[in-house]
Every structure is written in structure tokens, then in C-alpha cells.
Amino acid sequence: MNKHAASPPPTRGSTSAAAMLVALATAFALSQAFRTVGAMMATPLTQHFGLTPQALGTWAGTFHFTFGIMQLAMGVSIDHFGVRRTVLTAFPLAIAGAALCTVAPGFGALLLGQALIGVGCAPAFLACTVFIARHFDAARFTAMSGLVMSLAGMGILFTGTPLALLIEAASWRAGYAALTAFAVLSWIVIFWRVHEPARTQATSDEPAPERQSLRQAVRDLLPLFAMPHTLGLLCFACVSYAAFITLRGLWLGPVLHDRHGLSLVASGNVALVMTVAGMASPMLFGRLDPGGARRTRWMMRCAFAGAAMFAAMALTQSRAIDIGLPIVYGMLSGYSVLLYAYTKNAYPAAVTGRAMALLNMAMFLGVSLMQWTTGVAASWAVAQGSEPFRAVFLTVSGMLAAGTLAFWMLPRAKALVRPTAPPSA
């Protein structure tokens, strides 16, 4: 029986669509968990494999590199085969990668596992974004995106205190084993719950996109680069989310353990509180989104504030600051959700999918670049006899400030200065 044919088209924002979105969000939650395991895994992995800071940055960045380079291909796959088939086909690679990391005999196998996880998780958030754009009213796009990001924060929540307790009770391999089991459950839930119907004019205000090959999709990106506001968008995208993940997903645990002598569980508690703040933040920013030019001002002010926080962590080496500012930055980090609304409004409807794929690609390649660069900076600092975390946080601060300055100085999307529609009664 064809389940797609049997499923009635959901109304925009219906309970059925919401249930499917929650199911898809479980894969995104696992993606969030896999990209933030480094905060708790870094110390035991360093001890087990004898990793240098640069190798640690390479390990963390590998996930984001493969994740980023697959964004366009996953966008094309979603257009061709739909959200359900794309996620169900790709996600087993994440399961296989997690299983490989669980039994990895050496650093090479660990890197291969990270690469597989990145490919398998590549469609996770893009699938949610496309699903929201197709099955929810345009006015709810930012709020629903923020809600999904907050729900997916459950994955990051696991990589705080729960993962630290699991590692201390067993080992880092047990942490990967647990994530492998959760990933299998997520795949089953998506297989069971998500049956996206074909789009029709009755269920969409926009015409269905023409199916294209990957080569055609790459060609379609060229007009995006010709638009004057694309370069600034990419510069900002490369650093805004990267700063949060580089801290929460890699260096938070090591800095608390090595700089201040906190135990793994105590570091996990700080990560847990930062995660809770980060879970609420996207939903809050999504609901408070001012739209128009004010949205871009909010984005830049938040990013500059983040750069100042990283500089403070670099220069003070205070335990109170290194514990408190990550939590404050978690509360601030949800401004990244505004970037999706900015991108959606910045490009014609016909290329929204490609623009979102390009945005995701820039964001996660930016994470990979920042994590690798901070690893190099830390190794350089160690070689010079300096404190590595000062170099790490100054690097993050500088990259975040530079990307935001580029966004400020380069042309921005004119579409965002149009008057917004008044709220409905």
C-alpha cells in the first residue's frame, strides 16, 4: 500500500504536520548531540589516544566539514525524493559512524566515524527547515524554526551532565554506544511517523520546485553569488553559529578541567546549564523577531557582544567568568535563528531551498574552520609555552568580530527593510 498516496495532505500548521515535524526533530537532536560530544569527550579521548590540541580540533571539525559539504546534495535529494526518503537513507550512515567510534582502535577510525556521522546527519536540520516552509504558514516560519532548534537542544542536553556521568561510570566508548542506540530509535520514529504527502497547489502558496540534478543545482548557486548581499551573509554565517559550537562542543570541558581543575561531572553541570539556556534562546528570539532592519541590528549586536565575552574569557582566566559567561552566551546564542528568517526573506521564493542549503553549508563549514583553527592556535600556544585557552578564545573572538564587521560593511538584503505586515487580529 502506498502510504504517501493514502495520507491526506495536512493543512498548513495542522496537528499531523506538527507531529511529523517533532519526529524529524529527533534526528536533528541527535545531530546536535554528535556535534557537541567534544566538550565531555575531549579530555578522555586526549588521554586515551594522546591527542594534541590540533588533532582534537581536527577530530571535532571533521563532523562539521562532511556535514557542510553535503548540504547542497541533501537539498537536491529533498527536492527529488522528499524529506522522508532523504533522512531515512542518509541517517543510517550516522548510526554506522557512531558504532565505528564506539569500537575505534585508533585515531584514524575515530576520524572516519566522525566523517560518516557528519554525512548521515547532513539532512537533519535542512529537512526540518524545508518541512516548515512547505507545511506551515509563512508568518510562523521563524517561530517554528526556533521551536525546532529548542527541541533539538535535548541532544545537546545529553552531552552535558548525563554524558559526563556515563563516561565516569563506564568510558567514552559507552557514550558513543548510547548515542548509537538513540540514533537507531530516531530512525525508527521517523520511519513510523513521517509520511510527507506530495505537494499540491492546495497545500502550498508557492509552486512546487522543478526537480534538478546536482550539477544544475550547483549552477543555480551562481546567481546567488551574483547578488550583492550574499557575501556578507556568508561571512556572518561562517562565524555566528561556529562560535557557540566551538565553545559548547569542544573547548568548554577542557578549559574548565585543565584551567580550573573542575571534574568531568562538574564541567558537565556547567555545560548542562549552558545548554538549557541555549534551548530556550532560539524559541525566544523566534517569537521576539522584530523583522526588517531591526532584525539585522539585533544579529550584529548579539554577535559583537559574544566577541566581547570570548575576549573576556581569554584575558581574565577567572573561574567565575569561565563558568558564568558560557551560560550568558548560551542565553544569547539563539540569535542565529534570525539568520534563517533573514535568508528566507533575502532571496526569491524560487531559490529559497538553494539559499537555505548555501546558508547551512556556510554555517557548518565555518564550524569546521573555527574548530580546526582554534586547535592550531592552541597547539601553537603550547609550543610557545603559553596558556592554550587564551589563544583559543582570542581566535574565536577575532573570527566572530571579523565576520560580523564584514556583514555590517558589505551590502545587506534590501528585502528586509520593507514594511512588515501588521499582525492579524
Side-chain angles (χ1 to χ4, degrees):
M1 180 178 179
N2 189 328
K3 294 183 179 180
H4 289 276
S7 300
T11 58
R12 294 180 73 79
S14 69
T15 302
S16 175
M20 288 190 279
L21 181 60
V22 170
L24 289 170
T26 63
F28 182 38
L30 266 297
S31 175
Q32 294 281 64
F34 283 123
R35 73 173 53 110
T36 55
V37 294
M40 297 300 108
M41 293 278 195
T43 298
L45 286 177
T46 298
Q47 295 170 348
H48 187 90
F49 293 111
L51 304 183
T52 65
Q54 184 173 347
L56 198 60
T58 301
W59 165 75
T62 297
F63 168 95
H64 297 96
F65 179 75
T66 57
F67 187 105
I69 63 174
M70 291 301 297
Q71 287 302 298
L72 184 58
M74 293 303 173
V76 171
S77 178
I78 288 172
D79 284 346
H80 273 271
F81 305 112
V83 166
R84 181 180 191 271
R85 290 177 64 186
T86 298
V87 175
L88 290 179
T89 301
F91 206 55
L93 292 176
I95 297 171
L100 177 59
C101 287
T102 303
V103 299
F107 185 58
L110 202 64
L111 285 184
L112 177 58
Q114 282 283 89
L116 289 173
I117 294 170
V119 175
C121 290
F125 183 52
L126 184 59
C128 293
T129 303
V130 172
F131 190 89
I132 293 169
R134 290 179 179 177
H135 299 294
F136 290 86
D137 294 329
R140 300 178 64 191
F141 181 86
T142 307
M144 295 304 298
S145 296
L147 176 62
V148 166
M149 291 181 73
S150 295
L151 289 173
M154 296 297 293
I156 310 181
L157 203 64
F158 173 77
T159 59
T161 306
L163 181 59
L165 288 169
L166 182 59
I167 291 173
E168 284 211 339
S171 70
W172 61 268
R173 295 186 189 276
Y176 268 121
L179 288 171
T180 304
F182 287 139
V184 171
L185 289 175
S186 174
W187 189 92
I188 293 171
V189 168
I190 294 170
F191 180 82
W192 173 46
R193 294 294 298 172
V194 179
H195 300 288
E196 187 183 28
R199 296 181 71 203
T200 66
Q201 292 300 313
T203 61
S204 176
D205 297 332
E206 301 169 4
E210 180 183 353
R211 290 183 174 182
Q212 296 177 307
S213 66
L214 181 58
R215 179 179 297 181
Q216 290 171 318
V218 172
R219 285 203 302 265
D220 280 353
L221 288 180
L222 297 181
L224 299 185
F225 287 102
M227 296 180 181
H229 57 269
T230 296
L231 180 58
L233 167 67
L234 295 180
C235 289
F236 191 77
C238 279
V239 299
S240 56
Y241 184 60
F244 174 78
I245 291 297
T246 298
L247 175 60
R248 173 59 184 85
L250 179 57
W251 296 111
L252 181 62
V255 74
L256 294 177
H257 180 273
D258 297 345
R259 180 187 269 186
H260 301 296
L262 270 66
S263 68
L264 190 63
V265 173
S267 300
N269 292 337
V270 177
L272 182 70
V273 177
M274 181 184 179
T275 300
V276 171
M279 287 173 64
S281 184
M283 190 161 49
L284 180 62
F285 274 94
R287 293 196 175 277
L288 296 180
D289 179 11
R294 290 182 62 200
R295 177 190 289 146
T296 59
R297 290 196 292 269
W298 279 29
M299 290 159 55
M300 290 185 287
R301 288 169 182 169
C302 289
F304 280 129
M309 291 181 195
F310 279 104
M313 292 174 67
L315 299 176
T316 62
Q317 300 188 39
S318 161
R319 174 182 289 199
I321 286 179
D322 287 349
I323 291 175
L325 285 189
I327 296 170
V328 175
Y329 191 63
M331 297 172 63
L332 190 71
S333 63
Y335 76 88
S336 292
V337 75
L338 301 180
L339 192 55
Y340 285 92
Y342 175 93
T343 303
K344 184 174 184 291
N345 292 343
Y347 296 93
V351 296
T352 297
R354 301 291 183 261
M356 289 293 185
L358 182 62
L359 171 64
N360 281 340
M361 188 183 303
M363 290 179 74
F364 291 102
L365 289 178
V367 175
S368 178
L369 175 63
M370 187 176 286
Q371 291 185 332
W372 178 81
T373 303
T374 54
V376 171
S379 289
W380 176 84
V382 170
Q384 300 300 313
S386 301
E387 208 260 0
F389 301 112
R390 173 173 291 185
V392 165
F393 293 137
L394 284 177
T395 300
V396 175
S397 178
M399 293 178 73
L400 184 55
T404 307
L405 279 172
F407 182 65
W408 177 39
M409 297 177 68
L410 291 169
R412 295 190 293 276
K414 294 181 180 179
L416 293 181
V417 300
R418 296 174 184 170
T420 56
S424 57

